[in-house]
């Protein structure tokens, strides 16, 4: 099996058994690897409606098809049914994990059942050991990584959860090597529900490829091109840390719970790559594990936290949600909040979003100090730091926020008009406003809900019909889905031809752009059917109140949204009124197992009064 390790390890935590299987041909033919493997496996093995925190849920950890074979092919995709949305949810996380996973002899792990006692997995030399994790249960993500390396291999890459995941906080994430976040969707809670603290992997890949000389030439040529290209210059110098400067200027930032999307230059620069440049630490102080595995861009920064004997790897989404969204523009406080969130294994986007919602309610008199125990005004950085801890441990008012904004609205019984989420997934730090109004269609149709990594429309004027933004968004979505299936970092400017050439040199399989993009079509098609079966039938009802009524927001109208959705369905080849694929369409994509679920979904739509 050229270009692949060729094996999957299936781990049953209930019985404590491990079974090694060959990677089935259909999985490679239809889904390639990485993100595709997650959707192919979970859509066949799980039924919509499975309890995400039950032993019946499954975790898939998959290396991209080019892991270790191409520049920046460092992404590992982790997937399971999300405790937030109930949907199949995948997250991408960087560094050496996927490289070592294939070196250990596996393209993917499938983790089933649940252990009665805390465990971790040690994956190496073609085997998987289930080990006692009682020594590391309760530890921070960084401390757990150190201890597990002592027990396995000091060079191992370790995917781990923190106290938030152990307490099944639904906005808990997974962390790789203590610094790389696999966020969104609450996958850390799924690990915690299974009693799984971590997965440690190590091995040097010996992948047999179709044309090693060609692969070597491609690697060197593309690495040098990306290392020097102007397209990646901003990320090489600042990483993603100038995101607020861009979003604040465009009027698409999350500032003050998305209530002030346009920021002055003075405000946005306080939380930027410019502001932290003097705090950056290079080698030898910068840990080798965050350099960016095989990456020519090297966007990760390593920053000293002012006033602390500690460091953190900042990113724009963290500046946006743990800073601007909660009205905190003190970089020292925001950097400390990032450190706390990473150590506790909390998703910075979900945590910042729900704290910003609570502050919005407090400012509008819908919450008071007797209920919160804190002065929850925008800008209260100390309250943010306190709430992160309380959310991870489900203490006090933090317990109400611990499962994300949609759940908090239900528990509190008020404040839905200030909640900003789609399909129970918190909006990221890119508000679909102004020249990015069309981003709302990406959020509404994305497999997981409101993710900024599921396709961007081209920039457009504010009065551009939403319908006219859809095609460019789909093009970008298809490209990103294929990048995630190959395990390639989206901050490296791969073209379709680059991807096709690497895949051919590695596997001998010659696929053109259209053939590669069918992976994305399959994922979107599976996701659309799951959306309906999970009750996401009326897209208009999913749009946050602020996006319709706030004068500073996009002021969306039902007619334009529905028109754009019909265009999305048309371009995907689905029925423009129901948004459903035909049975023939599913057979053509090789998704025969989805036909019974498609028929159930169509019946739900026909019985509803929703007209697209």
């Amino acid at each position: 099996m050229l270009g692949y390790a060729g094996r999957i390890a299936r781990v049953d935590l209930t019985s404590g058994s491990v079974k090694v299987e060959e990677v089935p041909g259909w999985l490679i033919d239809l889904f390639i690897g990485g993100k595709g493997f997650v959707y192919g496996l979970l859509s066949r093995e799980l039924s919509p409606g499975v309890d995400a925190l039950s032993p019946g849920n499954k975790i898939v950890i998959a290396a991209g098809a080019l892991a270790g074979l191409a520049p920046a092919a460092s992404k590992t995709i982790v997937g399971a049914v999300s405790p937030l949305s109930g949907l199949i949810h995948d997250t991408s996380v960087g560094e050496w994990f996927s490289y070592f996973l294939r070196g250990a002899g596996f393209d993917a792990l499938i983790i089933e059942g649940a252990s009665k006692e805390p465990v971790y997995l040690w994956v190496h030399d073609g085997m998987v050991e289930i080990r006692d994790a009682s020594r590391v249960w309760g530890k921070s993500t960084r401390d757990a990584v150190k201890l597990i390396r002592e027990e396995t291999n000091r060079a191992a890459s370790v995917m781990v959860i923190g106290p938030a995941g152990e307490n099944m906080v639904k906005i808990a994430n997974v962390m790789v090597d203590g610094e790389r976040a696999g966020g969104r969707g609450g996958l850390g809670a799924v690990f915690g529900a299974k009693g799984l603290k971590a997965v440690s992997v190590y091995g040097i890949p010996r992948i047999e490829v179709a044309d090693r000389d060609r692969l070597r030439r491609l690697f060197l040529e593309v690495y040098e091109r990306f290392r020097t290209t102007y397209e990646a210059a901003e990320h090489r110098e600042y990483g993603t840390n100038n995101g607020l400067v861009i979003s604040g200027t465009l009027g698409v930032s999350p500032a003050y719970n998305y209530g002030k999307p346009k920021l002055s230059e003075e405000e946005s620069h306080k939380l930027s790559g410019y502001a932290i440049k003097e705090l950056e630490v290079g080698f030898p102080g910068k840990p080798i594990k965050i350099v960016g595995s095989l990456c020519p861009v090297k966007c990760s920064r390593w920053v000293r936290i002012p006033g602390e004997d500690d460091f953190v790897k900042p990113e724009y989404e963290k500046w946006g949600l743990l800073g601007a969204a909660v009205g905190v523009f003190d970089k020292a406080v925001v950097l400390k909040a990032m450190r706390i969130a990473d150590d506790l294994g909390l998703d910075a986007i979900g945590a910042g979003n729900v704290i910003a919602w609570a502050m919005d309610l407090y400012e509008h008199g819908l919450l008071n100090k007797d209920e919160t125990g804190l002065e929850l005004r925008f800008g209260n950085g100390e309250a943010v730091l306190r709430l992160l801890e309380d959310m991870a441990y489900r203490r006090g008012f933090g317990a109400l926020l611990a499962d994300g904004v949609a759940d908090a609205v239900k528990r509190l019984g008020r404040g839905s008009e200030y909640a900003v989420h789609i399909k129970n997934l918190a909006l990221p730090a890119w508000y679909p406003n102004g020249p990015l109004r069309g981003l709302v269609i990406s959020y509404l149709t994305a497999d997981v809900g409101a993710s900024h990594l599921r396709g961007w429309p081209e920039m457009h004027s504010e009065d551009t019909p939403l319908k006219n933004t859809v095609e460019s968004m789909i093009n970008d979505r298809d490209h990103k889905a294929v990048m995630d299936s190959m395990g390639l970092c989206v901050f490296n400017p791969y073209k379709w031809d680059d991807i096709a050439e690497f895949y051919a040199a590695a596997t001998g399989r010659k696929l053109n752009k259209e053939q590669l993009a069918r992976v994305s079509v399959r994922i979107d098609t599976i996701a659309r059917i799951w959306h309906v079966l999970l009750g996401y039938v009326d897209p208009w009802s999913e749009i946050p109140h602020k996006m319709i009524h706030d004068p500073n927001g996009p002021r969306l109208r039902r007619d334009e949204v529905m028109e754009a959705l019909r265009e999305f369905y048309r371009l995907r080849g689905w029925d423009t009124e129901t948004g459903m694929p035909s049975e023939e369409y599913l057979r053509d994509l090789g998704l025969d197992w989805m036909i019974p679920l498609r028929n159930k979904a169509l019946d739900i739509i026909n019985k509803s009064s929703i007209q697209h």
Side-chain angles (χ1 to χ4, degrees):
M1 190 176 290
L2 295 175
Y4 291 88
R7 304 197 310 165
I8 294 174
R10 187 179 294 270
V11 182
D12 187 331
L13 295 177
T14 300
S15 65
S17 64
V18 178
K19 179 182 177 183
V20 176
E21 307 169 356
E22 287 189 5
V23 177
W26 67 264
L27 189 60
I28 292 174
D29 292 343
L30 300 181
F31 293 101
I32 294 180
K35 179 183 175 79
F37 275 17
V38 166
Y39 278 83
L41 290 166
L42 293 181
S43 69
R44 284 185 73 133
E45 299 194 12
L46 295 179
S47 298
V50 64
D51 182 349
L53 299 181
S54 75
N57 197 2
K58 299 185 181 186
I59 299 167
V60 173
I61 302 174
L66 292 176
L69 300 175
S74 62
K75 293 296 185 177
T76 307
I77 309 299
V78 188
V81 166
S82 165
L84 286 174
S85 66
L87 300 170
I88 296 173
H89 189 104
D90 69 285
T91 185
S92 168
V93 60
E95 276 315 326
W96 292 94
F97 191 97
S98 62
Y99 180 86
F100 288 160
L101 178 62
R102 296 184 100 182
F106 303 101
D107 291 306
L109 307 175
I110 302 172
I111 303 168
E112 308 172 334
S115 174
K116 292 182 180 179
E117 302 297 331
V119 295
Y120 71 87
L121 305 183
W122 170 217
V123 186
H124 64 106
D125 299 308
M127 66 180 74
V128 180
E129 299 178 38
I130 302 175
R131 291 191 169 187
D132 174 33
S134 57
R135 181 180 175 224
V136 294
W137 196 261
K139 301 292 186 182
S140 73
T141 59
R142 282 192 294 178
D143 288 345
V145 167
K146 292 174 186 175
L147 291 170
I148 289 171
R149 282 183 179 149
E150 289 176 4
E151 296 181 0
T152 57
N153 186 305
R154 291 189 180 278
S157 186
V158 185
M159 182 179 295
V160 66
I161 61 171
E166 295 171 3
N167 292 318
M168 289 178 277
V169 168
K170 291 182 182 178
I171 54 172
N173 63 10
V174 296
M175 298 291 297
V176 167
D177 299 332
E179 305 296 342
R180 296 281 186 177
R184 321 304 310 278
L187 299 190
V190 179
F191 273 62
K194 293 185 177 300
L196 181 64
K197 176 67 174 180
V199 180
S200 180
V201 297
Y202 183 76
I204 305 302
R206 298 287 187 267
I207 304 293
E208 187 178 352
V209 298
D211 190 336
R212 189 162 296 280
D213 288 341
R214 183 183 176 201
L215 195 62
R216 186 180 294 111
R217 287 195 302 271
L218 278 170
F219 191 106
L220 294 174
E221 182 264 308
V222 170
Y223 191 101
E224 183 61 17
R225 189 193 339 147
F226 291 176
R227 189 185 68 82
T228 57
T229 180
Y230 177 76
E231 288 180 84
E234 171 74 13
H235 285 111
R236 281 198 302 271
E237 184 67 19
Y238 297 106
T240 64
N241 291 293
N242 280 338
L244 192 63
V245 177
I246 299 167
S247 66
T249 300
L250 295 176
V252 299
S253 89
Y256 300 94
N257 195 32
Y258 308 89
K260 188 186 174 185
K262 197 169 188 65
L263 294 172
S264 69
E265 183 176 308
E266 180 184 2
E267 286 175 304
S268 63
H269 275 246
K270 289 178 181 178
L271 305 180
S272 70
Y274 307 127
I276 61 169
K277 202 64 182 172
E278 64 183 23
L279 301 175
E280 278 190 26
V281 177
F283 293 113
K286 185 177 182 180
I288 191 69
K289 285 293 184 180
I290 66 161
V291 298
S293 169
L294 305 177
C295 181
V297 175
K298 299 282 191 281
C299 71
S300 295
R301 309 293 100 180
W302 187 241
V303 172
R304 178 176 55 81
I305 303 171
E308 304 281 331
D309 185 23
D310 210 346
F311 303 84
V312 72
K313 183 180 76 65
E315 301 286 353
Y316 166 56
E317 292 295 325
K318 295 177 181 179
W319 289 117
L321 273 301
L322 294 177
V326 293
V328 176
F329 288 85
D330 182 334
K331 65 187 177 188
V333 174
V334 181
L335 288 168
K336 188 173 181 179
M338 294 180 194
R339 183 71 273 165
I340 290 171
D342 285 353
D343 285 348
L344 294 173
L346 270 175
D347 176 45
I349 296 175
N353 177 286
V354 72
I355 294 172
W357 165 80
M359 288 180 164
D360 217 351
L361 264 61
Y362 198 97
E363 296 278 3
H364 286 88
L366 297 176
L367 271 177
N368 58 61
K369 193 172 181 179
D370 289 339
E371 295 173 288
T372 65
L374 297 163
E375 188 78 17
L376 279 187
R377 301 274 179 201
F378 282 123
N380 188 343
E382 290 304 313
V384 173
L385 301 180
R386 165 77 178 276
L387 282 174
L388 291 173
E389 297 270 359
D390 288 350
M391 289 160 66
Y393 291 100
R394 293 189 178 275
R395 297 186 302 227
F397 186 67
L400 185 138
L401 307 180
D403 293 328
V405 70
D407 184 86
V409 168
K410 293 176 183 176
R411 291 190 190 185
L412 189 64
R414 58 187 184 272
S416 62
E417 66 271 33
Y418 298 99
V420 187
H421 66 90
I422 290 176
K423 294 183 176 68
N424 297 343
L425 192 70
L427 233 69
W430 299 97
Y431 198 40
N433 197 32
L436 282 174
R437 284 180 88 243
L439 198 55
V440 70
I441 304 303
S442 179
Y443 290 168
L444 286 171
T445 61
D447 45 12
V448 300
S451 169
H452 60 295
L453 296 172
R454 265 51 178 191
W456 281 52
E458 293 176 352
M459 297 280 280
H460 47 272
S461 65
E462 190 169 350
D463 57 358
T464 298
L466 287 182
K467 175 183 177 181
N468 294 352
T469 71
V470 174
E471 186 171 7
S472 64
M473 181 277 287
I474 288 178
N475 291 338
D476 189 53
R477 174 175 294 178
D478 290 348
H479 186 259
K480 282 185 166 64
V482 173
M483 291 278 282
D484 282 347
S485 296
M486 295 292 182
L488 300 169
C489 176
V490 297
F491 294 115
N492 283 257
Y494 273 94
K495 310 300 182 189
W496 283 104
D497 286 347
D498 296 327
I499 299 170
E501 286 190 48
F502 267 105
Y503 192 61
T507 67
R509 296 166 178 252
K510 297 180 180 180
L511 302 179
N512 59 30
K513 173 184 174 181
E514 289 70 29
Q515 291 169 315
L516 289 168
R518 278 168 73 85
V519 173
S520 179
V521 175
R522 290 184 182 100
I523 291 168
D524 257 9
T525 302
I526 291 168
R528 170 60 183 158
I529 293 170
W530 272 65
H531 287 174
V532 174
L533 293 174
L534 267 295
Y536 302 111
V537 181
D538 178 12
W540 179 249
S541 70
E542 298 173 26
I543 296 177
H545 183 273
K546 281 195 172 192
M547 290 189 192
I548 302 169
H549 300 288
D550 191 332
N552 293 322
R555 301 180 304 283
L556 296 166
R557 305 187 315 274
R558 183 184 180 104
D559 62 322
E560 64 173 343
V561 169
M562 293 307 178
E563 179 186 44
L565 287 170
R566 283 192 292 270
E567 178 67 0
F568 176 82
Y569 300 152
R570 184 187 72 80
L571 291 170
R572 274 299 188 225
W574 306 337
D575 183 272
T576 56
E577 293 303 315
T578 64
M580 277 291 108
S582 66
E583 291 187 17
E584 181 182 0
Y585 182 97
L586 291 172
R587 290 192 186 96
D588 179 62
L589 288 176
L591 301 179
D592 300 62
W593 71 89
M594 293 298 299
I595 290 174
L597 295 177
R598 172 262 181 197
N599 292 337
K600 289 181 182 178
L602 183 59
D603 188 51
I604 289 171
I605 291 172
N606 288 335
K607 288 179 180 178
S608 75
S609 59
I610 304 303
Q611 297 294 319
H612 293 95

